């Protein structure tokens, strides 16, 4: 079929826009990430003298970096509508966030929709695939204290031990509040067939829009971060003190991401912006951690039930374009998440000004020394 002049113009405009956006993203990374690292190198004396203030500043810079990633999607017309419980109400408490995983754009979506949730972004810890360590953002996550987990049965036991050690070493010492993980252990398209075969073998529900979650990381997080005293009793033996500065993990936030027509956004689309403006829908449900069972079999069943509920939520969304109302209510309430363009421009300006400052400083030092 012959291409019309209008189609050619539209295709040319899309390609030009994608090229310009890619160039901006590269420039953005070249100034923002080195600036983040250099600021923290300069502030190392503060880390020794006042660790709390150091990690506060690091958290602010980290949030700004994630806001830059969010801006790439926001300015392409990729927005978010939120449903369910209002997570702002628990933004100052410790929480574990369980998210379904469809594509690389899931992380970008979370980076966007959590920007307006108070201090959450600067005080959060991510669990992500180890391959992410070798991306341009890997050095940032490494410094921030995120955990890179290696997938596969041969690595599983060792990774869970490393996760426990990591949480004990960094979570409270850096004043982290929320920890985000994808319990399915991979993208939907890669794990669906295996998950369905496992479900059939073990007489579990057949799931199309999510996969059965894995228990390991969730169990380690609960065991490590939940306060040792629950309901007036001690769970950690005589060595555990009743008084603690931290209340421990208090909430589990079950987060479900849905894309129109079940077509997820990937990182390439987020960067290049060649897809038409899209509204991603995010549903939250908050559970008190005291209602989450600790015993492995009961916890497995509880976790399976959450993903069966996600399946029902997504099925309803794909059929109707909206999430169902909470039990006992007749209408579901949605909230459009917004970002300030002025704030995003200010952050981007700070990044480019910082990059220019460091460049000039190194030029000056080079001429002085050589």
């Amino acid at each position: 079929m012959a291409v019309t002049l209008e189609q050619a113009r539209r295709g040319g405009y899309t390609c030009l826009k994608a090229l310009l956006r890619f160039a901006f993203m590269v420039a953005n990374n070249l100034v923002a990430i080195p600036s983040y690292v250099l600021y923290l190198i300069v502030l190392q004396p503060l880390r020794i003298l006042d660790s709390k203030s150091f990690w506060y500043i690091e958290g602010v810079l980290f949030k700004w970096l994630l806001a830059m990633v969010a801006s790439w999607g926001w300015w392409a017309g990729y927005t978010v509508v939120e449903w369910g419980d209002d997570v702002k109400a628990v933004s100052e408490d410790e929480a574990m966030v369980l998210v379904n995983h469809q594509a690389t754009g899931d992380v970008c979506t979370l980076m966007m929709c959590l920007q307006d949730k108070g201090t959450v972004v600067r005080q959060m810890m991510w669990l992500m695939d180890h391959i992410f360590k070798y991306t341009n953002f890997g050095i940032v996550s490494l410094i921030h204290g995120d955990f890179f987990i290696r997938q596969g049965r041969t690595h599983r036991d060792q990774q869970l031990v490393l996760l426990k050690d990591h949480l004990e070493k960094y979570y409270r010492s850096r004043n982290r509040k929320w920890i985000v993980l994808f319990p399915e252990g991979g993208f939907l398209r890669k794990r669906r067939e295996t998950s369905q075969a496992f479900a059939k073998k073990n007489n579990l529900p057949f799931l199309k829009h999510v996969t059965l979650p894995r228990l390991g990381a969730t169990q380690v997080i609960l065991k490590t971060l939940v306060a040792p005293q629950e309901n007036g009793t001690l769970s950690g033996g005589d060595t555990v003190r009743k008084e603690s500065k931290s209340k421990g993990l208090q909430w589990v936030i079950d987060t479900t991401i849905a894309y129109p027509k079940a077509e997820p956004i990937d990182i390439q689309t987020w960067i290049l912006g060649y897809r038409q403006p899209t509204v991603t829908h995010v549903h939250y449900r908050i559970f008190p951690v005291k209602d989450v069972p600790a015993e492995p079999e009961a916890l497995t069943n509880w976790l399976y039930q959450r993903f069966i509920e996600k399946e029902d939520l997504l099925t309803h969304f794909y059929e109707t374009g909206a999430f169902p109302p909470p039990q006992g209510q007749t209408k579901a309430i949605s909230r459009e998440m917004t970002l300030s363009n002025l704030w995003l421009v200010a952050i981007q300006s700070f990044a480019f000004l910082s990059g220019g400052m460091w460049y000039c400083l190194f030029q000056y030092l080079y001429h002085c020394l050589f």
Side-chain angles (χ1 to χ4, degrees), residues 217-332:
T218 303
Q219 185 177 31
V220 168
I221 291 168
L222 290 171
K223 280 187 175 182
T224 308
L225 299 183
V226 171
Q229 184 176 340
E230 287 292 337
N231 300 322
T233 60
L234 293 175
S235 61
D238 296 335
T239 59
V240 179
R241 297 179 181 179
K242 292 185 180 181
E243 297 81 19
S244 175
K245 290 183 179 180
S246 171
K247 294 180 181 179
L249 200 71
Q250 294 176 267
W251 310 99
V252 175
I253 303 174
D254 186 22
T255 304
T256 304
I257 299 176
Y259 298 94
K261 299 180 182 179
E263 297 176 355
I265 296 176
D266 55 27
I267 187 65
Q268 301 96 306
T269 307
W270 195 269
I271 292 170
L272 300 178
Y274 50 76
R275 181 167 166 175
Q276 291 297 311
T278 302
V279 179
T280 301
H281 297 256
V282 181
H283 183 280
Y284 305 105
R285 189 176 177 197
I286 302 174
F287 295 88
V289 77
K290 63 183 178 61
D291 294 342
V292 181
E295 191 273 326
E297 184 176 352
L299 178 58
T300 299
N301 292 333
W302 185 89
L303 200 57
Y304 281 176
Q305 189 58 41
R306 301 289 73 76
F307 276 76
I308 292 169
E309 290 174 1
K310 285 181 184 292
E311 176 78 10
D312 294 338
L313 286 170
L314 290 168
T315 299
H316 189 280
F317 177 85
Y318 295 139
E319 290 175 352
T320 67
F323 284 114
Q327 191 172 6
Q329 298 183 23
T330 58
K331 186 178 180 181

Side-chain angles (χ1 to χ4, degrees), residues 107-264:
V107 175
C108 301
T109 297
L110 289 173
M111 288 180 177
M112 176 185 287
C113 66
L114 295 179
Q115 284 291 326
D116 67 343
K117 307 298 185 293
T119 62
V120 164
V121 175
R122 67 176 177 82
Q123 292 182 289
M124 73 195 313
M125 179 182 286
W126 296 75
L127 263 66
M128 58 191 74
D129 192 280
H130 80 288
I131 198 68
F132 193 78
K133 185 190 298 185
Y134 307 107
T135 67
N136 59 316
F137 212 77
I139 183 64
V140 174
S141 292
L142 199 63
I143 293 171
H144 183 69
D146 296 328
F147 184 77
F148 302 97
I149 191 164
R150 187 181 292 271
Q151 303 292 343
R153 188 173 299 175
T154 56
H155 305 288
R156 191 170 300 162
D157 292 340
Q158 180 195 29
Q159 290 298 298
L160 295 179
V161 171
L162 292 174
L163 173 59
K164 181 177 184 298
D165 293 342
H166 185 87
L167 292 172
E168 291 176 340
K169 186 175 182 180
Y170 297 117
Y171 193 82
R172 299 260 157 71
S173 67
R174 298 186 182 183
N175 195 29
R176 299 294 173 244
K177 294 292 185 182
W178 285 20
I179 183 165
V180 180
L181 69 154
F182 301 91
E184 292 164 294
F187 298 139
L188 173 64
R189 68 178 186 277
K190 292 183 177 181
R191 290 211 62 244
R192 179 159 40 200
E193 187 176 337
T194 303
S195 175
Q196 289 173 346
F198 178 85
K200 184 177 181 180
K201 182 179 178 180
N202 293 275
N203 197 29
L204 293 167
F206 183 86
L207 306 176
K208 292 172 55 181
H209 306 305
V210 295
T211 63
L212 290 169
R214 294 169 176 172
L215 177 66
T218 303
Q219 185 177 31
V220 168
I221 291 168
L222 290 171
K223 280 187 175 182
T224 308
L225 299 183
V226 171
Q229 184 176 340
E230 287 292 337
N231 300 322
T233 60
L234 293 175
S235 61
D238 296 335
T239 59
V240 179
R241 297 179 181 179
K242 292 185 180 181
E243 297 81 19
S244 175
K245 290 183 179 180
S246 171
K247 294 180 181 179
L249 200 71
Q250 294 176 267
W251 310 99
V252 175
I253 303 174
D254 186 22
T255 304
T256 304
I257 299 176
Y259 298 94
K261 299 180 182 179
E263 297 176 355

Side-chain angles (χ1 to χ4, degrees), residues 28-85:
N28 204 178
N29 277 275
L30 288 175
V31 296
I33 294 176
S35 293
Y36 167 87
V37 175
L38 290 168
Y39 277 126
L40 295 181
I41 290 175
V42 170
L43 289 171
Q44 285 304 303
L46 178 64
R47 182 178 180 179
I48 298 170
L49 297 172
D50 187 352
S51 177
K52 185 177 180 180
S53 295
F54 174 85
W55 289 113
Y56 174 87
I57 295 170
E58 184 279 333
V60 171
L61 295 174
F62 182 79
K63 179 177 180 177
W64 290 355
L65 283 176
L66 267 58
M68 292 176 202
V69 176
S71 73
W72 304 342
W74 181 259
W75 288 332
Y78 305 147
T79 57
V80 173
V81 167
E82 298 176 310
W83 303 74
D85 295 333

